[in-house]
């Protein structure tokens, strides 16, 4: 096998690099491109978004620059977007909380639980949206090069000063409210929500976005940023929108790949990289594949997580010991177990029963939050995992993309994506995540769903259970962490993945980090890849 190229990269940066006239090659470890954004037919006739399952964070610039709509990306917008059924005793129908784009309807829904909260909700939304608008410009540019500011060459110092503009703009946007917004970023989300609301179902529904994918509870300081990370999305100009991709999340990857190939990039699957080549001058010069093939290039962009890139792919003697130690301490704990389910009918929730014809209702298209009656439930589930036990009453986010996308399942049937936590990577008492433990946990999750939607268990045709070790093995996520590393304040912006190397460059000249372990972090957003490509192009041009 012979591959000649200037740069080895991921699909998103490959498209940008190729668009700038640089010959680029993409090497994919698995048989399907896309990493965590893939569609797989695990059960015959059912197409699953195997890992990632919703789209919103994809940066508008990438959508436009790469003409993803022309390359096959079609989105089904969700409205309403959040449904929280409540387990209640008594003879009446249980209540539920349904939130969407209609503010007056949101207030009517919230008023079931608290008139005071219904009045406060529009102001809360405005407050959060202002913070999102301030942070948004920071997403599309590399963090300020603090090392260059301190001791770099004059031109590099000037460029670093120029990079301060998004930070200054953010400060101007927030104005005198900076201290108040600083509290949102640093305090526990429970404290912030308690300042705004009194209704537990509302607070818990909002808090799930602050802890999802993170080994944190609502009482953990700094959990507010993860909430913002999940509300700063935009789809086709619609702020805060989330949607399902027709054909599953793999179609996002396919659209980007189509754009890259049209521009001239080459993409190879089942080409696992064994290690990164470093020449005698300490520069990255290509990679060695698992089969021994050497692929030479001027630059290498790694979408692998920081742990894998620096602790497994780069020869240790090429990295400073201090760097290796710091990367080893990069936190990647994860609480997530993803369960993909094929069913022969829609879940029938007690709070909003299905119609006789069995067709989807608006609440079926939402993110359905179960075990979200109070934030204390999330705290207890987190405490279980900290003791090495899967949560006894897990936090469950359930999505039914086939409620809007008919291409995913046979007529009358549906695919369900269950994003559950908290499950520890390592179990207590010497237990391991074998099939017995996996099935025990999945059965517990199904048992809780059954309480909200009786008949769910009987509707199941098949399931695919991915615990944190499974996500690590299958997708390459360290610790099963969907963000390649925790999105805690000590691992963001200047410090992602570590201080002095937050601008996609690494101690190896010509090697760049372009995945979720780099700024601005995880999610199907493409920003790390696009930003890394622009930095690599800048270096390539001298």
């Amino acid at each position: 096998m012979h591959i000649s190229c200037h740069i080895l990269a991921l699909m998103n940066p490959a498209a940008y690099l190729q668009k700038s006239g640089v010959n680029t090659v993409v090497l994919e470890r698995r048989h399907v491109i896309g990493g965590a954004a893939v569609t797989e037919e695990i059960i015959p006739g059912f197409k699953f978004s195997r890992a990632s399952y919703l789209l919103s964070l994809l940066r508008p610039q990438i959508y436009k620059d790469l003409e993803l709509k022309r390359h096959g990306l079609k989105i089904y917008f969700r409205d309403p977007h959040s449904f929280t059924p409540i387990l209640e005793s008594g003879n009446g129908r249980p209540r539920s909380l349904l939130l969407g784009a209609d503010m007056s309807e949101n207030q009517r829904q919230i008023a079931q639980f608290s008139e005071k909260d219904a009045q406060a909700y529009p102001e809360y939304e405005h407050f959060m949206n202002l913070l999102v608008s301030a942070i948004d410009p920071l997403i599309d540019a590399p963090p300020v090069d603090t090392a260059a500011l301190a001791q770099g060459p004059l031109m590099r110092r000037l460029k670093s000063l120029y990079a301060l503009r998004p930070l200054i703009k953010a400060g101007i946007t927030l104005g005198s409210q900076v201290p108040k917004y600083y509290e949102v970023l640093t305090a526990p989300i429970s404290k912030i929500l308690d300042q705004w609301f009194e209704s537990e179902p509302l607070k818990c529904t909002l808090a799930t976005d602050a802890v999802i994918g993170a080994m944190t509870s609502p009482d953990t300081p700094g959990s507010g940023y993860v909430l913002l990370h999940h509300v700063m999305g935009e789809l086709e100009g619609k702020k805060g929108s989330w949607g399902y991709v027709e054909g599953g999340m793999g179609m996002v990857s396919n659209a980007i790949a189509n754009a890259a190939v049209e521009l001239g990039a080459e993409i190879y699957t089942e080409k696992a990289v064994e290690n990164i080549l470093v020449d005698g001058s300490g520069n990255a010069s290509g990679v060695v594949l698992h089969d021994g093939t050497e692929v030479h290039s001027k630059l290498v962009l790694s979408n692998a997580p920081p742990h894998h890139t620096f602790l497994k792919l780069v020869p240790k003697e090429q990295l400073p010991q201090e760097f290796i130690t710091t990367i080893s301490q990069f936190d990647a704990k994860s609480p997530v177990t993803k369960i993909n389910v094929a069913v022969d009918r829609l879940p029938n929730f007690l709070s909003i029963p299905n119609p006789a014809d069995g067709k989807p209702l608006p609440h079926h298209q939402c993110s359905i939050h179960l075990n979200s009656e109070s934030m204390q439930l999330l705290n207890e589930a987190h405490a279980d995992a900290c003791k090495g036990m899967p949560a006894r009453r897990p936090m469950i986010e359930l999505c039914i993309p086939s409620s809007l996308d008919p291409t995913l399942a046979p007529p009358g049937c549906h695919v369900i994506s269950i994003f559950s936590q908290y499950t520890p990577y390592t179990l207590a008492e010497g237990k391991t995540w074998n099939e017995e433990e996996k099935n025990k946990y999945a059965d517990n999750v199904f048992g809780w769903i059954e309480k909200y939607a009786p008949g769910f268990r009987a509707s199941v045709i098949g399931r695919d259970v991915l615990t944190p070790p499974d996500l690590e093995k299958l997708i390459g996520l360290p610790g099963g962490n969907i963000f390649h590393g925790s999105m805690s304040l000590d691992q963001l912006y200047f410090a992602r993945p570590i201080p002095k190397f937050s601008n996609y460059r690494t101690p190896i000249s010509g090697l760049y980090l372009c995945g979720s372990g780099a700024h601005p972090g995880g999610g199907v957003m493409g920003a790390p890849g696009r930003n890394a490509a622009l930095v690599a192009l800048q270096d390539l041009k001298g």
Side-chain angles (χ1 to χ4, degrees):
M1 174 183 176
H2 176 71
I3 301 174
S4 61
C5 62
H6 286 96
I7 297 182
L8 290 164
L10 171 72
M11 283 182 301
N12 176 28
Y16 275 94
L17 293 163
Q18 195 72 44
K19 194 172 184 179
S20 298
V22 181
N23 183 24
T24 309
V25 161
V26 177
L27 301 173
E28 168 64 55
R29 178 177 65 91
R30 298 189 68 214
H31 66 285
V32 57
I33 57 174
V38 292
T39 301
E40 296 188 70
E41 191 171 327
I42 308 162
I43 298 164
F46 294 84
K47 296 177 182 177
F48 296 95
S49 294
R50 191 95 188 265
S52 62
Y53 57 102
L54 278 171
L55 188 67
S56 175
L57 298 174
L58 185 64
R59 302 305 293 163
Q61 297 91 326
I62 296 172
Y63 200 98
K64 179 182 176 182
D65 292 347
L66 302 184
E67 300 180 85
L68 297 185
K69 199 167 185 177
R70 180 172 69 81
H71 286 292
L73 184 60
K74 180 180 177 180
I75 298 166
Y76 293 95
F77 291 90
R78 309 187 315 165
D79 187 27
H81 54 72
S82 171
F83 172 57
T84 307
I86 309 298
L87 285 182
E88 295 181 301
S89 58
N91 297 323
R93 181 183 294 179
R95 291 175 296 173
S96 61
L97 178 64
L98 194 65
L99 301 176
D102 186 333
M103 182 56 74
S104 61
E105 177 59 20
N106 289 342
Q107 289 183 283
R108 191 187 72 79
Q109 288 280 326
I110 295 168
Q112 298 176 85
F113 304 95
S114 167
E115 288 283 356
K116 174 178 172 289
D117 289 358
Q119 294 303 311
Y121 189 68
E123 187 181 348
Y124 167 82
E125 284 277 282
H126 176 74
F127 177 82
M128 286 298 181
N129 287 335
L130 183 62
L131 182 51
V132 166
S133 67
I135 290 175
D136 196 66
L138 301 178
I139 302 298
D140 298 312
V144 176
D145 189 344
T146 53
L149 274 175
Q151 56 190 19
L154 178 60
M155 285 305 297
R156 195 169 165 190
R157 287 190 188 190
L158 292 174
K159 287 179 181 177
S160 297
L161 287 171
Y162 183 79
L164 284 170
R165 289 197 315 162
L167 277 174
I168 296 170
K169 186 177 179 181
I172 293 172
T173 300
L174 298 178
S176 61
Q177 297 217 53
V178 166
K180 198 170 182 180
Y181 284 111
Y182 175 79
E183 184 182 28
V184 174
L185 296 177
T186 57
I189 195 61
S190 57
K191 177 183 177 183
I192 302 302
L193 292 173
D194 282 344
Q195 292 172 357
W196 284 94
F197 306 117
E198 62 186 10
S199 162
E200 282 297 318
L202 175 60
K203 288 191 291 184
C204 191
T205 297
L206 298 173
T208 57
D209 276 342
V211 300
I212 197 161
M215 187 59 89
T216 58
S217 78
D219 289 344
T220 303
S223 48
Y225 179 78
V226 179
L227 169 65
L228 289 173
H229 192 73
H230 282 89
V231 301
M232 65 174 61
E234 174 183 332
L235 287 175
E236 296 185 5
K238 299 178 182 179
K239 295 284 186 182
S241 293
W242 287 79
Y244 298 122
V245 179
E246 183 173 80
M249 290 297 287
M251 299 305 105
V252 179
S253 303
N254 285 357
I256 295 173
N258 291 341
V261 169
E262 183 179 86
L263 291 164
E266 298 175 61
I267 299 175
Y268 297 88
T269 57
E270 298 184 273
K271 299 298 177 187
V273 173
E274 189 72 19
N275 62 272
I276 294 169
L277 292 170
V278 181
D279 65 22
S281 301
N283 302 314
S285 59
V287 300
V288 179
L289 303 184
H290 187 67
D291 64 6
T293 302
E294 290 191 5
V295 185
H296 295 275
S297 64
K298 290 183 179 179
L299 303 179
V300 176
L301 279 73
S302 174
N303 182 51
H307 288 106
H308 191 78
T309 299
F310 300 114
L311 304 182
K312 295 184 179 179
L313 298 182
V314 176
K316 287 189 177 180
E317 63 272 15
Q318 299 289 344
L319 294 169
Q321 184 56 50
E322 181 185 2
F323 180 87
I324 293 173
T325 301
T326 309
I327 285 292
S328 300
Q329 296 166 348
F330 187 66
D331 178 29
K333 290 190 292 290
S334 170
V336 172
T337 288
K338 175 80 188 299
I339 307 175
N340 300 300
V341 190
V343 295
D344 62 12
R345 57 188 177 275
L346 283 167
N348 189 14
F349 292 96
L350 291 170
S351 55
I352 308 181
N354 291 352
D357 61 12
K359 291 184 178 178
L361 293 174
H363 69 282
H364 287 119
Q365 65 181 265
C366 297
S367 288
I368 301 168
H369 304 282
L370 306 183
N371 290 335
S372 295
E373 284 81 0
S374 73
M375 285 198 288
Q376 183 57 31
L377 294 178
L378 304 187
N379 289 326
E380 290 170 0
H382 175 257
D384 283 345
C386 289
K387 298 172 186 173
M389 302 186 304
R392 288 165 290 181
R393 187 170 182 179
M395 174 184 130
I396 298 169
E397 180 172 298
L398 186 152
C399 292
I400 315 171
S402 52
S403 63
L404 290 174
D405 179 5
T407 71
L408 300 176
C413 297
H414 289 276
V415 295
I416 295 180
S417 174
I418 299 173
F419 199 81
S420 74
Q421 53 191 82
Y422 296 78
T423 51
Y425 182 92
T426 303
L427 297 175
E429 300 175 356
K431 296 179 180 178
T432 60
W433 279 113
N434 54 28
E435 288 303 309
E436 180 183 358
E437 291 297 329
K438 287 166 63 171
N439 285 321
K440 185 190 300 183
Y441 175 73
D443 288 343
N444 184 43
V445 170
F446 284 19
W448 282 106
I449 298 172
E450 185 80 16
K451 293 178 188 295
Y452 293 89
F456 173 77
R457 276 179 169 150
S459 73
V460 174
I461 296 171
R463 69 189 187 190
D464 169 49
V465 184
L466 299 172
T467 63
D470 294 321
L471 290 167
E472 181 176 73
K473 183 179 179 181
L474 180 72
I475 308 295
L477 304 174
N481 192 289
I482 62 172
F483 302 130
H484 286 195
S486 301
M487 300 281 287
S488 51
L489 287 177
D490 61 326
Q491 294 189 172
L492 290 173
Y493 200 62
F494 297 115
R496 191 166 189 90
I498 64 172
K500 297 184 181 178
F501 291 100
S502 60
N503 62 351
Y504 312 104
R505 298 180 179 95
T506 74
I508 307 296
S509 178
L511 172 62
Y512 301 81
L513 200 63
C514 66
S516 296
H519 170 76
V524 184
M525 64 165 59
R530 176 182 176 273
N531 295 350
L534 298 179
V535 169
L537 278 171
Q538 177 185 321
D539 292 350
L540 195 64
K541 294 174 182 178

